[in-house]
Amino acid sequence: MSPGKRKPDLPSLMYAEQPDGSYVTSLRGLPVLREPLLNKGTAFSPQERAELSLEGLLPPVVETLDEQARRTYVQYRAQPTNLLKNIYLEALRDRNEVLYYRLLSDHLREMLPIVYDPTVAEAIRTYSHEYRRPRGVYLSVDDPDGIEQAFKNLHLGPDDVDLIVASDAEQILGIGDWGLGGGAGIATGKLAVYTAAAGIDPARVIPVALDVGTDNEALLNDPGYVGNRHARVRGQRYDDFIDAYVTTATRMFPGALLHWEDFGPSNARRILEKYTERICTFNDDMQGTGAIVLAAMLSAVKVSRTPMRDQRIVIFGAGTAGIGNADQLRDAMIRDGLDREEAIRRIWPIDKQGLLVDDMTDLRDFQQPYARPRDEVADWARGGHGISLAEVVERVKPTMLLGTSTAHGAFTEKIVRTMAAGVDRPIIFPISNPTERIEAMPADLIRWTDGRALIATGIPVEPITYNGVTYVIAQANNALLYPGLGLGVVVARARRVSSGMFQAAAEAVGGMADVSAAGASLLPQVENLREVSATVAVAVANRAAEEHLARTTLRDTVQQVQDAMWQPKYRSIHGNGR
């Protein structure tokens, strides 16, 4: 069968998908209603009710999926807060996944901030107290020998899994360490976007919470906390646990893509570098964020007419995400004619200790290549935290200012006006989120640059009208890129995820934005996620084939992508007589 389709022989799950897309099940009565991918609620037909022993267990009316979706949307809208909306949707997902994804697909722009960033952060904070139903697997550093059994208990075969999202929750969005709830919440939230945006089959994915403890004292002292009650494990024991997870997952599910999410800076890059050439894997915080920023940058370059090789880029926030962005932008400059060292020298990263300089003793290994020579900046002004952002902007006269710092208001009016004085179309991307952590608001950036700034943010922003021009602000949302990337990997059955595949994804996203009109968005809009994801998937699958990384033949990539996209539609369900 093609990727994304369940094999027809899964008796251990008590239901199986047939070649015609219908389900056959041995379940009867209430157990049918308790299985989220089988349950149709009031949409079961009279024949199905009789065959599955559901007579009298449901109201007599037989509704369509459309009718159910309208009612659930009214119920959703009645929830008074975003957190309660998130809880409502998760409860719906727990009982009827098709209806959940239909509702999400119908209202994706409205609901994406509810099921994922920023509301998922609030839901993660209350995970233990709102705990309702397990989803995926929970792996403990205190029981590494139990990893294989945990996966076995899912009753999935080696060809039944396309995607595994795992998190140890050390650096959740902008809220830090949130232990088990963070890992579980972020993995399930990410997978919801994969399915809604790209049609990744929800029956073929596994969310994984890697519980290595937490350094969050509030969690450790919370009697309701459901995770391990000890400090985060680090060092060799941590590495052995991660290796046990990777070894087991790739052996049991050899065709699966392993997605890493929200790991701390001391582990994220190290883990990726260890496994990236050995298995099919990527880190969305590093590579996905870098690729979506590159997509917006490619659009900005079209408008500014300053080629990549001539950019001067200041990155404020040189952690995992910031340097991940630097890597993607560096590679783009190399493709535009610079050698590696020339490209690196056109990037100025700033972190908590100020501009990174090569004689600093606290640089992380991934920061070191971008550190400036001390003699180059010997006469630059230094403050209490080294060479400041203001000083760097004054000296460098950057063409691009990228914010990944989570330092709200860091891009001040003075800094922005200084930058704008030295470049005709300043490219300013304050992509930190949520809103209370953004480096500058787009309305201010437009006003301070007299409408000349080319802007992308990490938060959704309504269009802004200034001097008669309406500016549609691009949201550098990873959801524009990683779902399609994952789908492309699944369709191609890629052996690994290459830098060329990220380049193809970025070019595909950027190419869907029409930047010819004044004030046009640098990226496509979020409500077009299905279209964007399909376009990205085709580009990624084709690049995998070009690089000899595909493990299947691509005869008609566009059609193969469409065939692989799971749709939120009810299937016919039949009893198998057992």
Side-chain angles (χ1 to χ4, degrees):
M1 303 183 74
S2 63
K5 298 295 185 184
R6 182 185 290 284
K7 293 171 64 179
D9 53 343
L10 295 175
S12 58
L13 281 180
M14 294 182 287
Y15 70 93
E17 183 180 347
Q18 302 303 292
D20 65 358
S22 65
Y23 282 131
V24 169
T25 181
S26 61
L27 297 176
R28 295 295 184 273
L30 289 175
V32 176
L33 304 180
R34 292 174 181 146
E35 173 51 57
L37 274 170
L38 286 183
N39 182 26
K40 302 181 184 181
T42 55
F44 280 107
S45 70
Q47 180 182 347
E48 289 172 329
R49 297 182 190 207
E51 197 168 341
L52 302 174
S53 301
L54 297 176
E55 303 104 319
L57 302 183
L58 294 164
V61 67
V62 176
E63 294 184 303
T64 65
L65 180 57
D66 288 346
E67 290 170 330
Q68 291 179 321
R70 285 194 292 269
R71 181 173 61 250
T72 52
Y73 184 58
V74 172
Q75 294 170 346
Y76 165 84
R77 295 280 293 178
Q79 305 305 310
T81 68
N82 285 345
L83 177 58
L84 289 175
K85 285 182 169 69
N86 174 279
I87 293 170
Y88 173 82
L89 288 174
E90 286 304 301
L92 176 61
R93 187 182 186 184
D94 287 343
R95 70 176 186 270
N96 185 333
E97 286 208 51
V98 171
L99 180 55
Y100 166 82
Y101 282 113
R102 170 58 187 275
L103 189 66
L104 187 56
S105 298
D106 285 350
H107 307 280
L108 195 52
R109 182 179 179 88
E110 177 183 354
M111 293 183 180
L112 190 62
I114 302 299
V115 300
Y116 199 63
D117 185 29
T119 307
V120 72
E122 191 177 355
I124 283 169
R125 288 189 176 103
T126 62
Y127 180 86
S128 292
H129 295 276
E130 296 290 347
Y131 179 80
R132 295 174 302 278
R133 174 182 175 139
R135 185 175 288 273
V137 295
Y138 302 80
L139 306 181
S140 171
V141 70
D142 300 329
D143 184 24
D145 293 336
I147 293 175
E148 181 167 353
Q149 188 60 52
F151 281 120
K152 281 183 177 179
N153 290 341
L154 295 173
H155 301 293
L156 293 168
D159 298 322
D160 298 333
V161 178
D162 294 326
L163 174 64
I164 303 175
V165 175
S167 177
D168 75 352
E170 184 173 7
Q171 199 64 47
I172 293 292
L173 303 172
I175 64 174
D177 178 353
W178 279 87
L180 179 77
I186 213 69
T188 56
K190 209 79 176 181
L191 286 170
V193 180
Y194 266 114
T195 297
I200 299 291
D201 188 339
R204 298 180 59 87
V205 303
I206 305 174
V208 175
L210 298 168
D211 190 353
V212 298
T214 179
D215 292 335
N216 185 327
E217 289 290 341
L219 292 179
L220 293 174
N221 292 306
D222 181 354
Y225 179 55
V226 296
N228 286 328
R229 292 179 180 274
H230 57 66
R232 278 189 172 269
V233 171
R234 303 187 186 277
Q236 190 61 49
R237 187 179 163 207
Y238 175 92
D239 290 348
D240 290 345
F241 176 60
I242 296 297
D243 197 60
Y245 156 66
V246 171
T247 301
T248 304
T250 53
R251 173 171 50 81
M252 295 182 69
F253 312 112
L257 165 63
L258 269 58
H259 172 141
W260 306 95
E261 188 71 24
D262 287 346
F263 285 71
S266 63
N267 292 318
R269 180 174 288 263
R270 191 169 54 83
I271 289 172
L272 182 65
E273 290 178 348
K274 179 176 180 178
Y275 296 108
T276 190
E277 296 295 327
R278 294 164 46 184
I279 64 172
C280 186
T281 191
F282 79 102
N283 182 302
D284 188 50
D285 304 301
M286 293 167 50
Q287 296 166 293
T289 301
I292 195 62
V293 166
L294 175 59
M297 184 65 170
L298 293 175
S299 292
V301 164
K302 294 177 186 176
V303 179
S304 70
R305 294 188 171 88
T306 299
M308 282 299 304
R309 62 182 175 272
D310 293 335
Q311 299 292 330
R312 299 182 300 278
I313 301 169
V314 171
I315 299 177
F316 188 62
T320 301
I323 298 301
N325 278 285
D327 291 346
Q328 297 270 1
L329 295 167
R330 174 203 64 201
D331 291 348
M333 288 189 279
I334 292 172
R335 290 191 293 270
D336 201 33
L338 299 184
D339 66 34
R340 184 181 178 88
E341 274 306 306
E342 288 174 327
I344 287 174
R345 294 276 70 84
R346 300 192 75 84
I347 298 173
W348 286 260
I350 303 169
D351 212 55
K352 295 176 182 177
Q353 65 270 57
L355 178 68
L356 301 189
V357 181
D358 60 6
D359 61 356
M360 289 177 169
T361 59
D362 57 350
L363 295 178
R364 297 186 183 275
D365 55 354
F366 59 84
Q367 295 173 324
Q368 290 171 2
Y370 293 96
R372 312 301 295 192
R374 174 58 71 182
D375 57 4
E376 175 190 304
V377 298
D379 62 340
W380 292 24
R382 301 179 64 184
H385 297 283
I387 299 172
S388 69
L389 172 62
E391 178 72 3
V392 173
V393 170
E394 177 69 37
R395 296 277 189 165
V396 171
K397 296 179 171 50
T399 58
M400 179 187 190
L401 181 57
L402 173 64
T404 56
S405 67
T406 69
H408 182 73
F411 295 172
T412 64
E413 180 175 358
K414 182 177 179 181
I415 287 172
V416 171
R417 288 191 181 278
T418 298
M419 177 189 181
V423 59
D424 181 50
R425 298 304 302 269
I427 301 169
I428 308 178
F429 292 179
I431 64 169
S432 293
N433 59 77
T435 302
E436 58 266 24
R437 296 182 181 272
I438 192 171
E439 287 83 4
M441 293 303 295
D444 292 329
L445 296 176
I446 290 170
R447 180 164 50 85
W448 296 337
T449 63
D450 196 27
R452 293 184 289 122
L454 299 168
I455 303 168
T457 67
I459 62 172
V461 177
E462 292 299 316
I464 298 162
T465 300
Y466 177 83
N467 281 351
V469 177
T470 297
Y471 296 84
V472 181
I473 306 301
Q475 184 184 0
N477 189 328
N478 291 22
L480 288 166
L481 191 134
Y482 72 80
L485 175 81
L487 179 60
V489 169
V490 168
V491 169
R493 298 186 64 245
R495 285 192 294 272
R496 62 183 181 84
V497 184
S498 69
S499 59
M501 290 157 73
F502 276 101
Q503 175 194 348
E507 290 173 350
V509 174
M512 295 189 72
D514 181 0
V515 296
S516 59
S521 173
L522 300 177
L523 294 170
Q525 296 302 294
V526 170
E527 57 258 35
N528 298 326
L529 272 183
R530 277 256 167 174
E531 178 187 355
V532 173
S533 295
T535 302
V536 170
V538 170
V540 168
N542 284 336
R543 183 61 62 90
E546 291 167 10
E547 296 180 353
H548 307 290
L549 295 173
R551 291 180 290 185
T552 193
T553 302
L554 298 175
R555 296 183 176 87
D556 184 345
T557 311
V558 172
Q559 189 59 51
Q560 287 171 262
V561 165
Q562 291 299 318
D563 291 344
M565 294 179 77
W566 180 86
Q567 302 293 334
K569 298 178 180 178
Y570 286 137
R571 322 286 186 88
S572 296
I573 303 177
H574 308 285
N576 64 358
R578 292 171 56 187

